[in-house]
Amino acid sequence: MNLEQIQQATRELGQGWGYPHAARVAQLAGIVGEDLTYDREAFAYAVYLHDWGAFPKYFQPGVDHALRSRQVAETEILPQTTLAPAVQALIAEAIELHDYRDRRPHTSVESLLLREADWLDMLGVIGVAREFAWGPNDLQQCYTRILARRAGIEGRLTLPKAQALATARIAQMERFLQALQEESFGLL
Ligand SMILES: [Fe+2]
Ligand SMILES: [Fe+2]
């Protein structure tokens, strides 16, 4: 299996959100990791595979989606590639550590970059749009989740370009959420 096939499978399995989210994470990582030295090929595999554990085909109730994504990548997908075992291990580890609720330290540049790019996609207007799309059709519930995610991410980005993007995105979010409260009379 090569990267293109994995991208195609991400399109097919990732409902509406999986592929565009991964593609945005790739874009974000390109920006915030511009000056870093890392294995760009390995990283691309990690990006497209990082949320497979949340896709219906692989999701398992009670198993953290990042760990599940790692299991799927490690046991089913990466062994079908020509990547060296050490590179496969690097990818698997970056996938497992990507979630913002995971407080363990990163173990490689690739794992750092994946998490910070992934977190940025939860901030800003795109972050808000993702939460409302996620549902349920209950604005207050989505709103509360937006605040919780933002609180879980804010202040935790370490790459200078990621910090700058996060600041801009949080300011945008703040403006949006303010307008939402005003237009709704606080009735969400
Ligand atoms: Fe994730
Ligand atoms: Fe993600």
Side-chain angles (χ1 to χ4, degrees):
M1 224 173 171
N2 60 30
L3 181 62
E4 254 174 49
Q5 291 166 316
I6 286 169
Q7 288 169 324
Q8 186 53 34
T10 307
R11 268 194 201 95
E12 288 160 13
L13 302 174
Q15 301 168 293
W17 65 272
Y19 180 81
H21 163 59
R24 289 192 302 268
V25 169
Q27 292 277 345
L28 285 163
I31 297 167
V32 303
E34 195 188 358
D35 306 323
L36 302 178
T37 304
Y38 63 99
D39 184 334
R40 284 171 157 75
E41 188 195 20
F43 184 76
Y45 279 85
V47 165
Y48 284 95
L49 290 168
H50 83 277
D51 277 331
W52 279 33
F55 298 169
K57 178 170 180 182
Y58 294 110
F59 173 77
Q60 276 180 3
V63 182
D64 172 66
H65 88 281
L67 177 62
R68 182 67 190 132
S69 297
R70 182 203 176 123
Q71 292 168 350
V72 172
E74 198 169 40
T75 61
E76 296 188 34
I77 311 299
L78 296 172
Q80 296 184 59
T81 67
T82 55
L83 297 165
V87 175
Q88 294 186 28
L90 177 82
I91 296 167
E93 190 140 295
I95 291 171
E96 182 177 344
L97 292 171
H98 83 265
D99 196 79
Y100 74 96
R101 287 155 290 204
D102 193 327
R103 292 280 168 169
R104 290 175 291 176
H106 64 272
T107 53
S108 62
V109 176
E110 290 79 1
S111 65
L112 173 68
L113 194 53
L114 180 59
R115 57 164 60 165
E116 298 206 358
D118 185 59
W119 300 353
L120 282 169
D121 200 45
M122 292 178 193
L123 300 178
V125 171
I126 184 65
V128 169
R130 288 179 70 199
E131 294 297 346
F132 285 120
W134 202 260
N137 188 1
D138 176 333
L139 294 178
Q140 185 61 51
Q141 243 187 77
C142 298
Y143 179 80
T144 302
R145 208 171 54 225
I146 289 164
L147 297 187
R149 281 209 217 273
R150 184 179 67 181
I153 293 168
E154 196 168 10
R156 293 185 56 215
L157 292 135
T158 64
L159 296 167
K161 286 178 181 166
Q163 289 174 334
L165 269 180
T167 301
R169 286 182 174 214
I170 285 170
Q172 278 280 56
M173 252 175 136
E174 202 39 53
R175 283 191 288 274
F176 177 92
L177 296 175
Q178 194 89 43
L180 184 65
Q181 287 296 343
E182 285 167 17
E183 291 182 9
S184 66
F185 312 99
L187 301 166
L188 292 179

